[in-house]
Amino acid sequence: MVRVLGYFRDGKNFAEPVGEIELDADTEARIAELGISRRGLLTSLAGMASLMALPQSIIPAMAQTVVSPKKPSVVYMSFQECTGCLESMVNSFAFRGGASIENLLLNIISLDYQETLMAAAGTQAEEQLANATATPNGYVLVVDGSIPQTANSGFFVSGGRSGVERFRAAAQNALAIVPVGTCASFGGLPKADPNPTGAVSIGTLMTQLGISKPLINVPGCPPIPEVITGTILYYLTKGLPSLDSLKRPKVYYGETVHDECYREEYFEDGPRVAVFDDKAARFGGCLIDMGCKGPVTHNACSTIKWNQGVSFPMMAGHGCIGCAEPDFWDRLNINGKKGFYQRLAPGSFDD
């Protein structure tokens, strides 16, 4: 029997025994060849399947993908961003007793281009990018950061080319495009008023350039590490996940932060926090009056949590800022005011 780590709806961990998992002979041989613990690998994959609401029957296919000698190619390009999304991804811990980012993600894919992590620079880096993107339908393109929509604006130039030109060339042969972070998914901070660079989201730029490729948005500022790695693993194993109207995977963005927040029980009848560190705050009261955007923000913060499942903003006493939603910097709240500490406007959620 294999025990896996899963999550109750309130975010608490539980161990659930899973029946013996049958793998094909080639996969078993490959696991032995790599010197990987069969139990450890299956524990990680079973936990990942549980997190993504997938049946345990998918685990053999996931195992085959993970240990396949032919690694799917991933090209990770950065534009107008702060490197926070990449920093988040490389801190993915997967599951207790399971794989870290090095052996869960970087060993199941061939990360063929990422300028921050790769040793190459300058001409060598540009040659590597050209080689990695030369094969039709040969790679998944992960994009971090927004892009100025005017190619000759001069606001983003790398390798002698504008952001638009770099993205157009890289997207041409991609299997799918995964914008990681709110800047790439929705424009984020660079697009915030007054948007001096003319920044747009990857989806908007694809429409403007006439690029028709599968698109999976993974927003957040930054996204939760396990949401990034889980989305990529899901695509490599099963293809496109079920997406919402904003092209976000429903398994991670199907519910609001408020839905699963442990403070939600105090939303209706109180206590509600009126001043940070008041009695209600110390008691665990609802933060809605302090500007919490949880009721209108779709993300998995209150279920998967952060820092290896330790906590999330409301658990630390701070309201949600709505970072996984479009235009969260410029949201108009009560009385038409902007700001993370302004209460949501009446009628924008069920109060």
CSV table of all heavy atoms in Angstrom, one decimal, residues 229-293:
chain,number,residue,atom,x,y,z
A,229,THR,N,3.9,24.0,-11.3
A,229,THR,CA,4.5,22.7,-11.7
A,229,THR,C,3.3,21.7,-12.0
A,229,THR,O,3.4,20.9,-12.9
A,229,THR,CB,5.4,22.1,-10.6
A,229,THR,OG1,4.7,22.1,-9.3
A,229,THR,CG2,6.6,23.0,-10.4
A,230,GLY,N,2.2,21.8,-11.2
A,230,GLY,CA,1.1,20.9,-11.4
A,230,GLY,C,0.5,21.1,-12.8
A,230,GLY,O,0.1,20.2,-13.4
A,231,THR,N,0.3,22.4,-13.2
A,231,THR,CA,-0.3,22.7,-14.5
A,231,THR,C,0.6,22.1,-15.6
A,231,THR,O,0.1,21.5,-16.6
A,231,THR,CB,-0.4,24.2,-14.6
A,231,THR,OG1,-1.3,24.7,-13.6
A,231,THR,CG2,-1.0,24.5,-16.0
A,232,ILE,N,1.9,22.3,-15.5
A,232,ILE,CA,2.8,21.8,-16.6
A,232,ILE,C,2.7,20.3,-16.6
A,232,ILE,O,2.6,19.7,-17.7
A,232,ILE,CB,4.2,22.3,-16.3
A,232,ILE,CG1,4.3,23.8,-16.5
A,232,ILE,CG2,5.2,21.6,-17.3
A,232,ILE,CD1,5.6,24.4,-16.2
A,233,LEU,N,2.7,19.6,-15.4
A,233,LEU,CA,2.7,18.2,-15.4
A,233,LEU,C,1.4,17.7,-15.9
A,233,LEU,O,1.3,16.7,-16.7
A,233,LEU,CB,2.9,17.7,-14.0
A,233,LEU,CG,2.9,16.2,-13.7
A,233,LEU,CD1,4.0,15.5,-14.6
A,233,LEU,CD2,3.1,15.8,-12.3
A,234,TYR,N,0.3,18.4,-15.6
A,234,TYR,CA,-1.0,17.9,-16.1
A,234,TYR,C,-1.0,18.0,-17.7
A,234,TYR,O,-1.5,17.0,-18.3
A,234,TYR,CB,-2.1,18.9,-15.6
A,234,TYR,CG,-3.5,18.4,-15.9
A,234,TYR,CD1,-4.3,17.9,-15.0
A,234,TYR,CD2,-4.1,18.6,-17.2
A,234,TYR,CE1,-5.6,17.4,-15.3
A,234,TYR,CE2,-5.3,18.2,-17.5
A,234,TYR,CZ,-6.1,17.6,-16.5
A,234,TYR,OH,-7.4,17.2,-16.9
A,235,TYR,N,-0.5,19.1,-18.2
A,235,TYR,CA,-0.5,19.2,-19.7
A,235,TYR,C,0.3,18.1,-20.3
A,235,TYR,O,-0.1,17.5,-21.3
A,235,TYR,CB,0.0,20.6,-20.1
A,235,TYR,CG,0.0,20.7,-21.6
A,235,TYR,CD1,-1.1,20.9,-22.3
A,235,TYR,CD2,1.2,20.6,-22.3
A,235,TYR,CE1,-1.1,21.0,-23.7
A,235,TYR,CE2,1.3,20.6,-23.7
A,235,TYR,CZ,0.1,20.9,-24.4
A,235,TYR,OH,0.1,20.9,-25.8
A,236,LEU,N,1.5,17.8,-19.7
A,236,LEU,CA,2.3,16.8,-20.3
A,236,LEU,C,1.7,15.4,-20.2
A,236,LEU,O,2.0,14.5,-21.0
A,236,LEU,CB,3.7,16.9,-19.6
A,236,LEU,CG,4.5,18.1,-19.9
A,236,LEU,CD1,5.8,18.1,-19.1
A,236,LEU,CD2,4.8,18.4,-21.3
A,237,THR,N,0.9,15.2,-19.2
A,237,THR,CA,0.3,13.9,-19.0
A,237,THR,C,-1.0,13.7,-19.7
A,237,THR,O,-1.3,12.7,-20.3
A,237,THR,CB,0.1,13.6,-17.5
A,237,THR,OG1,1.3,13.8,-16.8
A,237,THR,CG2,-0.4,12.2,-17.2
A,238,LYS,N,-1.9,14.7,-19.6
A,238,LYS,CA,-3.3,14.6,-20.1
A,238,LYS,C,-3.7,15.6,-21.2
A,238,LYS,O,-4.8,15.5,-21.7
A,238,LYS,CB,-4.3,14.7,-18.9
A,238,LYS,CG,-4.3,13.5,-18.1
A,238,LYS,CD,-5.4,13.6,-17.0
A,238,LYS,CE,-6.8,13.8,-17.5
A,238,LYS,NZ,-7.3,12.5,-18.0
A,239,GLY,N,-2.8,16.6,-21.4
A,239,GLY,CA,-3.2,17.6,-22.4
A,239,GLY,C,-3.9,18.8,-21.7
A,239,GLY,O,-3.7,19.0,-20.5
A,240,LEU,N,-4.7,19.6,-22.4
A,240,LEU,CA,-5.3,20.8,-21.8
A,240,LEU,C,-6.2,20.4,-20.7
A,240,LEU,O,-7.1,19.6,-20.8
A,240,LEU,CB,-6.1,21.5,-22.9
A,240,LEU,CG,-5.3,22.4,-23.8
A,240,LEU,CD1,-6.2,23.0,-24.9
A,240,LEU,CD2,-4.6,23.5,-23.1
A,241,PRO,N,-6.1,21.1,-19.5
A,241,PRO,CA,-7.0,20.9,-18.4
A,241,PRO,C,-8.3,21.7,-18.7
A,241,PRO,O,-8.4,22.5,-19.7
A,241,PRO,CB,-6.3,21.5,-17.2
A,241,PRO,CG,-5.4,22.6,-17.8
A,241,PRO,CD,-5.0,22.0,-19.2
A,242,SER,N,-9.3,21.4,-17.9
A,242,SER,CA,-10.6,22.2,-18.0
A,242,SER,C,-10.3,23.6,-17.6
A,242,SER,O,-9.7,23.9,-16.5
A,242,SER,CB,-11.6,21.6,-17.1
A,242,SER,OG,-12.8,22.4,-17.2
A,243,LEU,N,-10.6,24.6,-18.4
A,243,LEU,CA,-10.3,26.0,-18.2
A,243,LEU,C,-11.5,26.8,-17.9
A,243,LEU,O,-12.6,26.5,-18.4
A,243,LEU,CB,-9.5,26.6,-19.4
A,243,LEU,CG,-8.3,25.9,-19.8
A,243,LEU,CD1,-7.7,26.5,-21.1
A,243,LEU,CD2,-7.2,25.9,-18.7
A,244,ASP,N,-11.4,27.9,-17.1
A,244,ASP,CA,-12.5,28.8,-16.9
A,244,ASP,C,-12.5,29.9,-18.0
A,244,ASP,O,-11.8,29.8,-19.0
A,244,ASP,CB,-12.4,29.5,-15.5
A,244,ASP,CG,-11.2,30.4,-15.3
A,244,ASP,OD1,-10.5,30.8,-16.3
A,244,ASP,OD2,-11.0,30.8,-14.2
A,245,SER,N,-13.4,30.9,-17.9
A,245,SER,CA,-13.5,31.9,-19.0
A,245,SER,C,-12.3,32.7,-19.2
A,245,SER,O,-12.1,33.4,-20.2
A,245,SER,CB,-14.7,32.8,-18.7
A,245,SER,OG,-14.5,33.5,-17.4
A,246,LEU,N,-11.4,32.7,-18.2
A,246,LEU,CA,-10.1,33.5,-18.3
A,246,LEU,C,-8.9,32.6,-18.6
A,246,LEU,O,-7.8,33.0,-18.4
A,246,LEU,CB,-9.8,34.2,-17.0
A,246,LEU,CG,-10.9,35.3,-16.6
A,246,LEU,CD1,-10.5,36.0,-15.3
A,246,LEU,CD2,-10.9,36.4,-17.7
A,247,LYS,N,-9.2,31.4,-19.1
A,247,LYS,CA,-8.2,30.4,-19.5
A,247,LYS,C,-7.4,29.9,-18.3
A,247,LYS,O,-6.2,29.5,-18.5
A,247,LYS,CB,-7.3,31.0,-20.6
A,247,LYS,CG,-8.0,31.5,-21.8
A,247,LYS,CD,-8.6,30.3,-22.6
A,247,LYS,CE,-9.2,30.8,-23.9
A,247,LYS,NZ,-9.8,29.7,-24.7
A,248,ARG,N,-7.9,29.9,-17.1
A,248,ARG,CA,-7.2,29.4,-16.0
A,248,ARG,C,-7.7,28.0,-15.7
A,248,ARG,O,-8.9,27.6,-15.8
A,248,ARG,CB,-7.5,30.3,-14.7
A,248,ARG,CG,-7.1,31.7,-14.9
A,248,ARG,CD,-7.5,32.5,-13.7
A,248,ARG,NE,-9.0,32.6,-13.5
A,248,ARG,CZ,-9.6,33.5,-12.8
A,248,ARG,NH1,-8.9,34.4,-12.0
A,248,ARG,NH2,-10.9,33.5,-12.7
A,249,PRO,N,-6.8,27.1,-15.2
A,249,PRO,CA,-7.2,25.7,-14.9
A,249,PRO,C,-8.2,25.7,-13.7
A,249,PRO,O,-7.9,26.2,-12.7
A,249,PRO,CB,-5.9,25.0,-14.4
A,249,PRO,CG,-4.8,25.9,-15.0
A,249,PRO,CD,-5.3,27.3,-15.1
A,250,LYS,N,-9.4,25.1,-14.0
A,250,LYS,CA,-10.4,25.1,-13.0
A,250,LYS,C,-10.0,24.4,-11.7
A,250,LYS,O,-10.5,24.8,-10.6
A,250,LYS,CB,-11.7,24.5,-13.5
A,250,LYS,CG,-12.4,25.4,-14.6
A,250,LYS,CD,-13.7,24.7,-15.0
A,250,LYS,CE,-14.5,25.5,-16.1
A,250,LYS,NZ,-15.7,24.8,-16.5
A,251,VAL,N,-9.2,23.4,-11.8
A,251,VAL,CA,-8.8,22.6,-10.7
A,251,VAL,C,-8.1,23.5,-9.6
A,251,VAL,O,-8.2,23.3,-8.4
A,251,VAL,CB,-7.9,21.5,-11.1
A,251,VAL,CG1,-6.6,21.9,-11.6
A,251,VAL,CG2,-7.7,20.5,-9.9
A,252,TYR,N,-7.4,24.6,-10.1
A,252,TYR,CA,-6.7,25.5,-9.1
A,252,TYR,C,-7.5,26.8,-9.0
A,252,TYR,O,-7.3,27.5,-7.9
A,252,TYR,CB,-5.3,25.8,-9.6
A,252,TYR,CG,-4.4,24.6,-9.7
A,252,TYR,CD1,-3.8,24.2,-10.9
A,252,TYR,CD2,-4.2,23.8,-8.6
A,252,TYR,CE1,-3.0,23.1,-11.0
A,252,TYR,CE2,-3.4,22.7,-8.7
A,252,TYR,CZ,-2.8,22.4,-9.8
A,252,TYR,OH,-2.0,21.3,-9.9
A,253,TYR,N,-8.2,27.2,-10.0
A,253,TYR,CA,-8.9,28.6,-9.9
A,253,TYR,C,-10.4,28.5,-10.0
A,253,TYR,O,-11.1,29.5,-10.3
A,253,TYR,CB,-8.4,29.4,-11.1
A,253,TYR,CG,-6.9,29.7,-11.1
A,253,TYR,CD1,-6.0,28.8,-11.7
A,253,TYR,CD2,-6.3,30.7,-10.3
A,253,TYR,CE1,-4.6,29.0,-11.7
A,253,TYR,CE2,-5.0,30.9,-10.3
A,253,TYR,CZ,-4.1,30.1,-11.0
A,253,TYR,OH,-2.8,30.3,-11.0
A,254,GLY,N,-10.9,27.3,-9.7
A,254,GLY,CA,-12.4,27.1,-9.8
A,254,GLY,C,-13.2,27.7,-8.6
A,254,GLY,O,-14.4,27.9,-8.7
A,255,GLU,N,-12.5,27.9,-7.5
A,255,GLU,CA,-13.2,28.5,-6.3
A,255,GLU,C,-12.4,29.7,-5.9
A,255,GLU,O,-11.3,29.9,-6.2
A,255,GLU,CB,-13.2,27.5,-5.2
A,255,GLU,CG,-14.1,26.2,-5.5
A,255,GLU,CD,-14.1,25.3,-4.4
A,255,GLU,OE1,-13.2,25.2,-3.5
A,255,GLU,OE2,-15.1,24.5,-4.3
A,256,THR,N,-13.1,30.6,-5.1
A,256,THR,CA,-12.5,31.8,-4.6
A,256,THR,C,-11.7,31.5,-3.3
A,256,THR,O,-11.9,30.5,-2.7
A,256,THR,CB,-13.5,32.9,-4.2
A,256,THR,OG1,-14.3,32.5,-3.1
A,256,THR,CG2,-14.4,33.2,-5.4
A,257,VAL,N,-10.8,32.3,-3.0
A,257,VAL,CA,-10.0,32.2,-1.8
A,257,VAL,C,-10.9,32.3,-0.6
A,257,VAL,O,-10.7,31.6,0.4
A,257,VAL,CB,-8.9,33.4,-1.7
A,257,VAL,CG1,-8.2,33.4,-0.4
A,257,VAL,CG2,-7.9,33.2,-2.9
A,258,HIS,N,-12.0,33.1,-0.7
A,258,HIS,CA,-12.9,33.2,0.4
A,258,HIS,C,-13.7,31.9,0.7
A,258,HIS,O,-13.9,31.6,1.8
A,258,HIS,CB,-13.9,34.3,0.0
A,258,HIS,CG,-15.0,34.6,1.0
A,258,HIS,ND1,-14.8,35.2,2.2
A,258,HIS,CD2,-16.3,34.2,1.0
A,258,HIS,CE1,-16.0,35.3,2.8
A,258,HIS,NE2,-16.9,34.7,2.1
A,259,ASP,N,-14.0,31.1,-0.4
A,259,ASP,CA,-14.7,29.9,-0.2
A,259,ASP,C,-14.1,29.0,0.8
A,259,ASP,O,-14.8,28.3,1.5
A,259,ASP,CB,-14.9,29.2,-1.6
A,259,ASP,CG,-15.8,29.9,-2.5
A,259,ASP,OD1,-16.7,30.6,-2.1
A,259,ASP,OD2,-15.6,29.7,-3.8
A,260,GLU,N,-12.8,28.9,0.8
A,260,GLU,CA,-12.1,27.9,1.6
A,260,GLU,C,-11.3,28.5,2.7
A,260,GLU,O,-10.6,27.8,3.5
A,260,GLU,CB,-11.1,27.1,0.7
A,260,GLU,CG,-11.8,26.4,-0.5
A,260,GLU,CD,-12.8,25.4,0.0
A,260,GLU,OE1,-12.7,24.8,1.1
A,260,GLU,OE2,-13.7,25.1,-0.8
A,261,CYS,N,-11.5,29.8,3.0
A,261,CYS,CA,-10.7,30.5,4.0
A,261,CYS,C,-11.4,30.1,5.4
A,261,CYS,O,-12.6,30.1,5.6
A,261,CYS,CB,-10.8,32.0,3.8
A,261,CYS,SG,-10.0,32.9,5.1
A,262,TYR,N,-10.5,29.8,6.4
A,262,TYR,CA,-11.0,29.4,7.7
A,262,TYR,C,-11.7,30.6,8.4
A,262,TYR,O,-12.5,30.4,9.3
A,262,TYR,CB,-9.9,28.8,8.5
A,262,TYR,CG,-8.9,29.9,9.1
A,262,TYR,CD1,-9.1,30.4,10.4
A,262,TYR,CD2,-7.9,30.4,8.3
A,262,TYR,CE1,-8.2,31.3,10.9
A,262,TYR,CE2,-7.0,31.3,8.8
A,262,TYR,CZ,-7.1,31.8,10.1
A,262,TYR,OH,-6.3,32.7,10.5
A,263,ARG,N,-11.4,31.8,7.9
A,263,ARG,CA,-12.0,33.0,8.5
A,263,ARG,C,-13.4,33.2,8.0
A,263,ARG,O,-14.2,34.1,8.5
A,263,ARG,CB,-11.2,34.3,8.3
A,263,ARG,CG,-9.8,34.3,9.0
A,263,ARG,CD,-9.0,35.5,8.6
A,263,ARG,NE,-7.7,35.5,9.2
A,263,ARG,CZ,-7.4,36.2,10.3
A,263,ARG,NH1,-8.3,36.9,10.9
A,263,ARG,NH2,-6.1,36.2,10.7
A,264,GLU,N,-13.8,32.5,6.9
A,264,GLU,CA,-15.1,32.7,6.3
A,264,GLU,C,-16.3,32.5,7.2
A,264,GLU,O,-17.3,33.1,7.1
A,264,GLU,CB,-15.2,31.7,5.1
A,264,GLU,CG,-16.4,32.0,4.2
A,264,GLU,CD,-17.6,31.2,4.6
A,264,GLU,OE1,-17.5,30.2,5.4
A,264,GLU,OE2,-18.7,31.6,4.2
A,265,GLU,N,-16.1,31.6,8.2
A,265,GLU,CA,-17.2,31.4,9.2
A,265,GLU,C,-17.6,32.6,10.0
A,265,GLU,O,-18.7,32.7,10.5
A,265,GLU,CB,-16.8,30.2,10.1
A,265,GLU,CG,-15.6,30.5,11.0
A,265,GLU,CD,-15.3,29.3,11.9
A,265,GLU,OE1,-16.1,29.0,12.8
A,265,GLU,OE2,-14.2,28.8,11.7
A,266,TYR,N,-16.7,33.6,10.0
A,266,TYR,CA,-17.0,34.8,10.7
A,266,TYR,C,-17.5,36.0,9.8
A,266,TYR,O,-17.7,37.1,10.2
A,266,TYR,CB,-15.7,35.3,11.5
A,266,TYR,CG,-15.2,34.3,12.5
A,266,TYR,CD1,-14.0,33.7,12.3
A,266,TYR,CD2,-16.0,33.9,13.6
A,266,TYR,CE1,-13.5,32.7,13.1
A,266,TYR,CE2,-15.5,32.9,14.4
A,266,TYR,CZ,-14.3,32.3,14.2
A,266,TYR,OH,-13.8,31.4,15.1
A,267,PHE,N,-17.6,35.6,8.5
A,267,PHE,CA,-18.0,36.6,7.5
A,267,PHE,C,-19.4,37.1,7.8
A,267,PHE,O,-19.7,38.3,7.8
A,267,PHE,CB,-17.9,36.0,6.1
A,267,PHE,CG,-18.4,36.9,5.0
A,267,PHE,CD1,-17.7,38.0,4.7
A,267,PHE,CD2,-19.6,36.6,4.3
A,267,PHE,CE1,-18.2,38.9,3.6
A,267,PHE,CE2,-20.0,37.4,3.3
A,267,PHE,CZ,-19.4,38.5,3.0
A,268,GLU,N,-20.3,36.2,8.0
A,268,GLU,CA,-21.7,36.6,8.2
A,268,GLU,C,-22.0,37.2,9.6
A,268,GLU,O,-22.6,38.3,9.7
A,268,GLU,CB,-22.6,35.4,8.0
A,268,GLU,CG,-22.6,34.8,6.6
A,268,GLU,CD,-23.3,35.7,5.6
A,268,GLU,OE1,-24.0,36.7,6.0
A,268,GLU,OE2,-23.1,35.5,4.4
A,269,ASP,N,-21.6,36.5,10.7
A,269,ASP,CA,-22.0,36.9,12.0
A,269,ASP,C,-20.9,37.6,12.8
A,269,ASP,O,-21.1,38.0,14.0
A,269,ASP,CB,-22.5,35.7,12.8
A,269,ASP,CG,-23.7,35.1,12.0
A,269,ASP,OD1,-24.5,35.8,11.5
A,269,ASP,OD2,-23.8,33.8,12.0
A,270,GLY,N,-19.7,37.7,12.2
A,270,GLY,CA,-18.6,38.3,13.0
A,270,GLY,C,-17.9,37.3,13.9
A,270,GLY,O,-18.3,36.2,14.1
A,271,PRO,N,-16.8,37.8,14.6
A,271,PRO,CA,-16.4,39.1,14.5
A,271,PRO,C,-15.6,39.4,13.2
A,271,PRO,O,-15.0,38.6,12.6
A,271,PRO,CB,-15.4,39.2,15.7
A,271,PRO,CG,-14.9,37.8,15.8
A,271,PRO,CD,-16.0,36.9,15.5
A,272,ARG,N,-15.7,40.7,12.8
A,272,ARG,CA,-14.9,41.2,11.6
A,272,ARG,C,-13.8,42.1,12.1
A,272,ARG,O,-14.1,42.9,13.1
A,272,ARG,CB,-15.8,41.9,10.6
A,272,ARG,CG,-16.7,41.0,9.8
A,272,ARG,CD,-17.5,41.8,8.8
A,272,ARG,NE,-18.3,41.0,7.9
A,272,ARG,CZ,-19.0,41.5,6.9
A,272,ARG,NH1,-19.0,42.8,6.6
A,272,ARG,NH2,-19.7,40.7,6.1
A,273,VAL,N,-12.7,42.0,11.5
A,273,VAL,CA,-11.6,42.9,11.9
A,273,VAL,C,-11.8,44.3,11.5
A,273,VAL,O,-12.1,44.6,10.3
A,273,VAL,CB,-10.2,42.4,11.3
A,273,VAL,CG1,-9.1,43.3,11.7
A,273,VAL,CG2,-10.0,40.9,11.7
A,274,ALA,N,-11.7,45.2,12.4
A,274,ALA,CA,-11.9,46.7,12.2
A,274,ALA,C,-10.6,47.4,12.1
A,274,ALA,O,-10.4,48.4,11.4
A,274,ALA,CB,-12.8,47.3,13.2
A,275,VAL,N,-9.6,46.9,12.9
A,275,VAL,CA,-8.3,47.5,12.9
A,275,VAL,C,-7.3,46.4,13.0
A,275,VAL,O,-7.5,45.5,13.9
A,275,VAL,CB,-8.1,48.5,14.1
A,275,VAL,CG1,-6.7,49.1,14.1
A,275,VAL,CG2,-9.1,49.6,14.1
A,276,PHE,N,-6.2,46.4,12.3
A,276,PHE,CA,-5.2,45.3,12.4
A,276,PHE,C,-4.7,45.2,13.8
A,276,PHE,O,-4.4,46.2,14.5
A,276,PHE,CB,-4.0,45.6,11.4
A,276,PHE,CG,-4.3,45.3,10.0
A,276,PHE,CD1,-4.2,46.2,9.0
A,276,PHE,CD2,-4.7,44.0,9.6
A,276,PHE,CE1,-4.5,46.0,7.7
A,276,PHE,CE2,-5.0,43.7,8.3
A,276,PHE,CZ,-4.9,44.7,7.3
A,277,ASP,N,-4.7,44.0,14.3
A,277,ASP,CA,-4.3,43.6,15.7
A,277,ASP,C,-5.3,44.0,16.7
A,277,ASP,O,-5.0,44.0,17.9
A,277,ASP,CB,-2.9,44.3,16.0
A,277,ASP,CG,-2.2,43.5,17.2
A,277,ASP,OD1,-2.4,42.3,17.2
A,277,ASP,OD2,-1.6,44.2,18.0
A,278,ASP,N,-6.6,44.2,16.3
A,278,ASP,CA,-7.6,44.3,17.3
A,278,ASP,C,-8.0,43.0,17.8
A,278,ASP,O,-7.5,41.9,17.4
A,278,ASP,CB,-8.8,45.1,16.8
A,278,ASP,CG,-9.6,44.4,15.7
A,278,ASP,OD1,-9.3,43.3,15.4
A,278,ASP,OD2,-10.5,45.1,15.1
A,279,LYS,N,-8.9,42.9,18.8
A,279,LYS,CA,-9.3,41.6,19.4
A,279,LYS,C,-9.8,40.6,18.3
A,279,LYS,O,-9.5,39.5,18.3
A,279,LYS,CB,-10.4,41.9,20.4
A,279,LYS,CG,-10.8,40.6,21.2
A,279,LYS,CD,-11.8,40.9,22.3
A,279,LYS,CE,-12.2,39.6,23.0
A,279,LYS,NZ,-13.2,39.9,24.0
A,280,ALA,N,-10.6,41.2,17.3
A,280,ALA,CA,-11.2,40.3,16.3
A,280,ALA,C,-10.1,39.7,15.4
A,280,ALA,O,-10.1,38.6,15.0
A,280,ALA,CB,-12.2,41.1,15.4
A,281,ALA,N,-9.0,40.5,15.2
A,281,ALA,CA,-7.9,40.1,14.4
A,281,ALA,C,-7.2,38.9,15.1
A,281,ALA,O,-6.8,37.9,14.5
A,281,ALA,CB,-6.9,41.2,14.1
A,282,ARG,N,-7.0,39.1,16.4
A,282,ARG,CA,-6.3,38.1,17.1
A,282,ARG,C,-7.1,36.8,17.3
A,282,ARG,O,-6.6,35.7,17.4
A,282,ARG,CB,-5.9,38.6,18.5
A,282,ARG,CG,-4.8,39.7,18.4
A,282,ARG,CD,-4.3,40.1,19.8
A,282,ARG,NE,-5.3,40.7,20.7
A,282,ARG,CZ,-5.6,42.0,20.7
A,282,ARG,NH1,-4.9,42.8,19.9
A,282,ARG,NH2,-6.5,42.4,21.6
A,283,PHE,N,-8.4,37.0,17.2
A,283,PHE,CA,-9.4,35.9,17.4
A,283,PHE,C,-9.5,35.1,16.1
A,283,PHE,O,-10.0,34.0,16.1
A,283,PHE,CB,-10.8,36.5,17.8
A,283,PHE,CG,-11.8,35.4,18.1
A,283,PHE,CD1,-11.7,34.6,19.2
A,283,PHE,CD2,-12.8,35.2,17.2
A,283,PHE,CE1,-12.7,33.7,19.5
A,283,PHE,CE2,-13.8,34.2,17.4
A,283,PHE,CZ,-13.7,33.5,18.6
A,284,GLY,N,-9.1,35.7,15.0
A,284,GLY,CA,-9.2,35.1,13.7
A,284,GLY,C,-10.5,35.5,12.9
A,284,GLY,O,-11.0,34.7,12.1
A,285,GLY,N,-10.9,36.7,13.2
A,285,GLY,CA,-12.1,37.3,12.5
A,285,GLY,C,-11.9,37.5,11.0
A,285,GLY,O,-10.8,37.6,10.5
A,286,CYS,N,-13.0,37.8,10.4
A,286,CYS,CA,-13.0,38.0,8.9
A,286,CYS,C,-12.3,39.4,8.6
A,286,CYS,O,-12.5,40.3,9.3
A,286,CYS,CB,-14.4,38.0,8.4
A,286,CYS,SG,-14.5,38.2,6.6
A,287,LEU,N,-11.6,39.4,7.5
A,287,LEU,CA,-10.8,40.6,7.1
A,287,LEU,C,-11.5,41.4,6.0
A,287,LEU,O,-10.8,42.3,5.5
A,287,LEU,CB,-9.4,40.1,6.7
A,287,LEU,CG,-8.5,39.6,7.8
A,287,LEU,CD1,-7.4,38.7,7.2
A,287,LEU,CD2,-7.9,40.7,8.6
A,288,ILE,N,-12.7,41.1,5.7
A,288,ILE,CA,-13.4,41.8,4.6
A,288,ILE,C,-13.4,43.3,4.8
A,288,ILE,O,-13.2,44.0,3.8
A,288,ILE,CB,-14.8,41.2,4.4
A,288,ILE,CG1,-15.4,41.7,3.1
A,288,ILE,CG2,-15.7,41.6,5.6
A,288,ILE,CD1,-14.8,41.1,1.9
A,289,ASP,N,-13.6,43.8,6.0
A,289,ASP,CA,-13.6,45.2,6.2
A,289,ASP,C,-12.3,45.9,6.1
A,289,ASP,O,-12.2,47.1,6.1
A,289,ASP,CB,-14.3,45.6,7.5
A,289,ASP,CG,-15.8,45.2,7.6
A,289,ASP,OD1,-16.4,45.1,6.5
A,289,ASP,OD2,-16.3,44.9,8.7
A,290,MET,N,-11.2,45.1,6.1
A,290,MET,CA,-9.9,45.6,5.9
A,290,MET,C,-9.4,45.6,4.5
A,290,MET,O,-8.2,45.8,4.2
A,290,MET,CB,-8.9,44.8,6.8
A,290,MET,CG,-9.2,44.8,8.3
A,290,MET,SD,-9.3,46.5,9.0
A,290,MET,CE,-7.6,47.0,8.8
A,291,GLY,N,-10.3,45.3,3.6
A,291,GLY,CA,-10.0,45.3,2.2
A,291,GLY,C,-9.7,44.0,1.5
A,291,GLY,O,-9.2,43.9,0.4
A,292,CYS,N,-10.0,42.9,2.3
A,292,CYS,CA,-9.7,41.5,1.7
A,292,CYS,C,-10.5,41.3,0.4
A,292,CYS,O,-11.7,41.6,0.4
A,292,CYS,CB,-10.0,40.5,2.7
A,292,CYS,SG,-9.7,38.8,2.2
A,293,LYS,N,-9.8,40.9,-0.6
A,293,LYS,CA,-10.4,40.6,-1.9
A,293,LYS,C,-10.7,39.1,-2.1
A,293,LYS,O,-11.0,38.7,-3.3
A,293,LYS,CB,-9.5,41.1,-3.0
A,293,LYS,CG,-9.0,42.6,-2.9
A,293,LYS,CD,-10.2,43.6,-2.8
A,293,LYS,CE,-9.7,45.0,-2.8
A,293,LYS,NZ,-9.0,45.5,-1.6
